[in-house]
């Protein structure tokens, strides 16, 4: 099996996922994913597509991720892993789609408008 690479995005984060046959190691930016993401619920977020498809110990995953925060990066990795698993075996698509792991979450930060301190916040209004 050759390397499968896919891209996942979320907010300002971009994750490049490289999936190869192996023993189940997940490396994010040169570190183990449990070291890179110490919070338990974020680790669960990354592992879940692999658990749903019963392939947790079947593939080695190498990820380069940049931009955004911790949660955005984790969800970008999740999308990249899900896309790679579908590319590997089309039968995984139903389970992953059912759990909304193949949907690109398009919500991003709204841009700042001129004449305002933030995107929608206004300066205090004074009648007199």
């Amino acid at each position: 099996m050759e390397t499968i690479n896919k891209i996942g995005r979320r907010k300002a984060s971009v994750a490049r996922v490289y999936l190869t046959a192996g023993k189940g190691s997940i490396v994010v930016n040169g570190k183990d994913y449990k070291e890179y993401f110490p919070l338990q619920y974020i680790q669960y977020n990354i592992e879940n597509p692999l658990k749903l498809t019963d392939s947790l110990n079947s593939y080695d995953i190498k990820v380069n991720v940049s931009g955004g925060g911790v949660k955005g990066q984790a969800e970008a990795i999740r999308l990249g892993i899900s896309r790679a698993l579908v590319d590997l075996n089309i039968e995984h698509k139903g389970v992953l789609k059912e759990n909304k792991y193949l949907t690109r979450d398009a919500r991003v930060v709204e841009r700042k408008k001129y004449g305002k301190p933030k995107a929608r916040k206004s300066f205090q209004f004074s009648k007199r």
Side-chain angles (χ1 to χ4, degrees), residues 67-95:
V70 176
K71 191 163 185 216
Q73 286 187 350
E75 291 185 15
I77 292 169
R78 184 182 72 188
L79 177 61
I81 290 172
S82 300
R83 285 177 172 173
L85 289 169
V86 168
D87 196 44
L88 192 69
N89 187 354
I90 197 73
E91 293 172 9
H92 296 321
K93 188 172 184 176
V95 179

Side-chain angles (χ1 to χ4, degrees), residues 37-105:
F37 297 113
L39 297 172
Q40 200 73 41
Y41 77 96
I42 292 178
Q43 293 172 13
Y44 172 79
N45 229 355
I46 293 170
E47 294 168 351
N48 215 27
L50 296 165
K51 284 181 180 173
L52 288 171
T53 57
D54 296 322
S55 51
L56 191 59
N57 297 322
S58 306
Y59 306 108
D60 286 341
I61 299 171
K62 183 178 173 284
V63 181
N64 293 332
V65 66
S66 63
V70 176
K71 191 163 185 216
Q73 286 187 350
E75 291 185 15
I77 292 169
R78 184 182 72 188
L79 177 61
I81 290 172
S82 300
R83 285 177 172 173
L85 289 169
V86 168
D87 196 44
L88 192 69
N89 187 354
I90 197 73
E91 293 172 9
H92 296 321
K93 188 172 184 176
V95 179
L96 293 170
K97 193 166 182 151
E98 191 178 291
N99 287 285
K100 297 187 174 90
Y101 288 165
L102 293 174
T103 306
R104 159 60 160 113
D105 195 345

